[in-house]
Each structure stands twice: as C-alpha cells, then as structure tokens.
Amino acid sequence: MVSAVALRRWSWVHKWSSLVCTVFMLLLCLTGLPLIFHHDIEHLLGTGVEAPELPINTPRASLDVVMQTAQARYPQLGGMFASQEEDDDRVWFVTLSRTPTDEVGMKQVAVDTRTRWLDLHNLLGIVTLVWALLDVATIVVLGSGLYLWLQRRQPKTVAVSGHTT
C-alpha cells in the first residue's frame, strides 16, 4: 500500500508534468493544423492558386516554356528552382532570384502548363505572414503560461494543542 505522503507527491508531480506536456502538445497541434490543412485554408481565404478546369487532353507546356514564361515577367531575375504539388501537375511554381543562392528579393510565380497563365500572388509573403502569426501566438502562449511556474504561497498551518490555525 502506498502511503498518503507518497500519493500526494505523486499526484503533485503528475498534475504539473501533465500541465507542462499539455501546453507543448497544444502548441504542436495548433502549429501543425495549418500545415495539414493548408489547401483548405488557402481555398477558404481565396489565396490559393487553383488551375481552371479544362478538358483532360489539353496539351501541356514543357518545363522550358514554363521557365521562359516566368522569366518573361521578371527579366532581371533568373530561375532558382521549380516545383509542383504532389497531387496536381497542372501548375508549376517557379522561384526566381538574382543569383541561385540569394535569400532576399526572391519572387515566386505560378504558371499553368496548359494555358501559360501566370499567377502573381505573393506566395512567399503569405507564408511569411502565417509564420509570423504563429511566432506571436507561441510567444503569447509561453509568456502567459509562466504563472504556472510561480510558487503560490499557501498559508502555513501550525498545530497548537491539536487544533490548526
């Protein structure tokens, strides 16, 4: 049988370790949800790039034509890389910059391979905005949770002739 003191200690450790773990699990869940549901969120906000529905046998442009289309919009920039969504091969996302190793001044454009349509959404700006909002939320959650770590002063009880005061 476990003593009452050991049970109280275990209860205290369990309670506080669970609260700490809960904060971090909540943080993981909240920051992971936008990653999982980003297509749905973009569709809801109208910020996503969606290719129009065309007949299935519509001819597609080669990657060379896609790169030329993107570079025609920003002639001073060169191609860094091009990528596609795993489940949609109709749109190429082309990232352009002055040099292949630039981290500043990048432009991203979306080119539909069937229509050579160019979408000029600031895709990198949206990602940066979402990331900044998540950073602010993290700081607020962690900052407001600090009260959990402060010891609350409990009035001490002193036994005097069998009575507590």
Side-chain angles (χ1 to χ4, degrees), residues 61-63 66 82-84 89-94 109-113:
S62 68
L63 184 55
V66 169
S83 63
Q84 288 181 312
D89 64 346
R90 300 174 294 177
V91 177
W92 278 97
F93 296 95
V94 181
V109 295
V111 180
D112 188 334
T113 59

Side-chain angles (χ1 to χ4, degrees), residues 79-90:
M80 274 182 88
F81 55 87
S83 63
Q84 288 181 312
E85 293 286 338
E86 289 180 20
D87 58 345
D88 186 6
D89 64 346
R90 300 174 294 177

Side-chain angles (χ1 to χ4, degrees), residues 38-121:
H38 68 90
H39 287 296
D40 300 322
I41 293 170
E42 288 173 350
H43 181 71
L44 252 164
L45 296 176
T47 59
V49 177
E50 297 179 18
E53 292 299 325
L54 293 175
I56 196 83
N57 58 355
T58 304
R60 297 176 188 234
S62 68
L63 184 55
D64 291 332
V65 173
V66 169
M67 291 300 289
Q68 288 171 359
T69 304
Q71 287 180 324
R73 176 65 175 101
Y74 297 105
Q76 72 278 15
L77 303 178
M80 274 182 88
F81 55 87
S83 63
Q84 288 181 312
E85 293 286 338
E86 289 180 20
D87 58 345
D88 186 6
D89 64 346
R90 300 174 294 177
V91 177
W92 278 97
F93 296 95
V94 181
T95 303
L96 306 163
S97 69
R98 294 194 190 287
T99 67
T101 58
D102 264 353
E103 294 182 11
V104 185
M106 293 186 295
K107 300 289 183 185
Q108 188 175 37
V109 295
V111 180
D112 188 334
T113 59
R114 300 159 308 157
T115 62
R116 280 57 154 197
W117 173 73
L118 194 65
D119 184 18
L120 300 176
H121 278 98

Side-chain angles (χ1 to χ4, degrees), residues 6 17 22 40 46 48-49 54-55 87 92 115 123 126 135 148 150 160:
S17 63
T22 300
D40 300 322
V49 177
L54 293 175
D87 58 345
W92 278 97
T115 62
L123 300 175
I126 293 168
D135 286 343
L148 294 173
L150 298 176
V160 178

Side-chain angles (χ1 to χ4, degrees), residues 21-32:
C21 291
T22 300
V23 169
F24 288 110
M25 289 302 292
L26 181 64
L27 183 68
L28 286 174
C29 291
L30 290 177
T31 57

